[in-house]
Amino acid sequence: DVKVTQSSRYLVKRTGEKVFLECVQDMDHENMFWYRQDPGLGLRLIYFSYDVKMKEKGDIPEGYSVSREKKERFSLILESASTNQTSMYLCASSSGQKGNTEAFFGQGTRLTVV
Amino acid sequence: AQTVTQSQPEMSVQEAETVTLSCTYDTSENNYYLFWYKQPPSRQMILVIRQEAYKQQNATENRFSVNFQKAAKSFSLKISDSQLGDTAMYFCAFMKHRDSGGYNKLIFGAGTRLAVHP
């Protein structure tokens, strides 16, 4: 079974802290994504990556950065956490092979910034 | 830009009955994919069903089926014989075809919270 693992299920951080959310997948997928989930807004794409050291901005990249030094790991970084970044963060991966479109998700990290 | 709209924030259904969740989308693409994902209280997002836009036949997966109306840009999900385990958030999602340079990005609707009651 494909497994996408997020390092924390719940996280509480203080305003101004640098926050790292880690995501690891075990299926050798090329594509990895970070989404933010908020009630009434669904999932919004923050950043994505098609390959090691590659990254592309999604729809809401402000206040975030990412790192992909290894194929299996994709990290989301909040440079200086703010209360409006309190949210659920979901990591996903997909194969990128033609016709293979299914995305696999981690269980999410519920981040609270106080 | 593509958008996905789910106009029903919440729905409820009795066990064993049928329920239909609505989804509309906007795109200028001719070739694309549409999905329904389920997120139960455990938060684990699971793919329910997928439709390829160039296929006229509606996709089915056991108790789950879709009504895909390409001209109307409508993609509804029908759940037959609802079970308590179907209680979840349901998200409709759009993906451009790979040949369109979509890079497998999913665009999600706001979600519909479905409650199945005994």
Side-chain angles (χ1 to χ4, degrees), chain B:
Chain B
Q2 289 75 33
T3 58
V4 177
T5 302
Q6 294 179 249
S7 58
Q8 305 152 315
E10 295 185 357
M11 292 193 72
S12 65
V13 65
Q14 294 294 123
E15 205 174 1
E17 293 190 346
T18 296
V19 63
T20 300
L21 308 184
S22 301
C23 173
T24 58
Y25 59 95
D26 189 26
T27 184
S28 58
E29 302 286 327
N30 187 51
N31 205 2
Y32 48 86
Y33 302 98
L34 295 164
F35 306 82
W36 280 97
Y37 277 86
K38 168 186 176 181
Q39 186 182 45
S42 67
R43 300 182 350 202
Q44 183 64 61
M45 192 83 82
I46 304 163
L47 177 64
V48 175
I49 200 163
R50 182 186 88 156
Q51 176 79 41
E52 297 168 60
Y54 61 88
K55 290 187 176 178
Q56 292 186 337
Q57 187 173 6
N58 289 325
T60 62
E61 285 289 342
N62 301 313
R63 297 183 296 108
F64 299 88
S65 62
V66 298
N67 183 4
F68 173 49
Q69 302 289 329
K70 191 174 184 181
K73 295 180 182 173
S74 170
F75 183 61
S76 60
L77 175 70
K78 186 172 83 171
I79 305 174
S80 304
D81 185 26
S82 297
Q83 300 176 359
L84 297 178
D86 295 334
T87 293
M89 280 289 288
Y90 286 82
F91 292 98
C92 179
F94 171 98
M95 178 191 292
K96 288 167 65 176
H97 193 275
R98 181 188 173 96
D99 293 343
S100 302
Y103 294 114
N104 292 132
K105 288 191 295 180
L106 285 163
I107 299 166
F108 288 88
T112 296
R113 185 175 301 278
L114 175 68
V116 180
H117 300 289

Side-chain angles (χ1 to χ4, degrees), chain A residues 8-113:
Chain A
S8 303
R9 197 163 167 82
Y10 298 95
L11 210 52
V12 180
K13 294 292 182 180
R14 295 196 179 277
T15 301
E17 275 194 79
K18 191 169 186 175
V19 181
F20 293 85
L21 303 184
E22 306 285 347
C23 176
V24 177
Q25 51 94 2
D26 65 0
M27 280 300 291
D28 202 35
H29 283 169
E30 285 82 8
N31 303 323
M32 295 190 75
F33 308 85
W34 275 106
Y35 289 90
R36 171 176 170 158
Q37 181 178 356
D38 298 290
L41 297 177
L43 280 73
R44 292 177 292 166
L45 184 62
I46 305 172
Y47 266 98
F48 57 103
S49 169
Y50 323 121
D51 201 352
V52 176
K53 297 194 187 293
M54 266 217 56
K55 59 185 179 183
E56 293 283 343
K57 292 180 180 179
D59 299 319
I60 51 164
E62 296 78 18
Y64 304 94
S65 62
V66 290
S67 172
R68 193 168 182 196
E69 296 295 320
K70 294 186 177 181
K71 191 174 184 179
E72 67 270 18
R73 186 180 296 270
F74 192 37
S75 303
L76 180 69
I77 304 157
L78 286 67
E79 296 290 343
S80 177
S82 63
T83 54
N84 63 13
Q85 292 178 310
T86 290
S87 186
M88 172 80 80
Y89 292 87
L90 289 168
C91 175
S93 73
S94 66
S95 156
Q97 300 293 322
K98 190 167 185 175
N100 192 343
T101 57
E102 183 173 357
F104 295 86
F105 287 80
Q107 286 195 289
T109 297
R110 190 174 295 281
L111 172 68
T112 302
V113 182

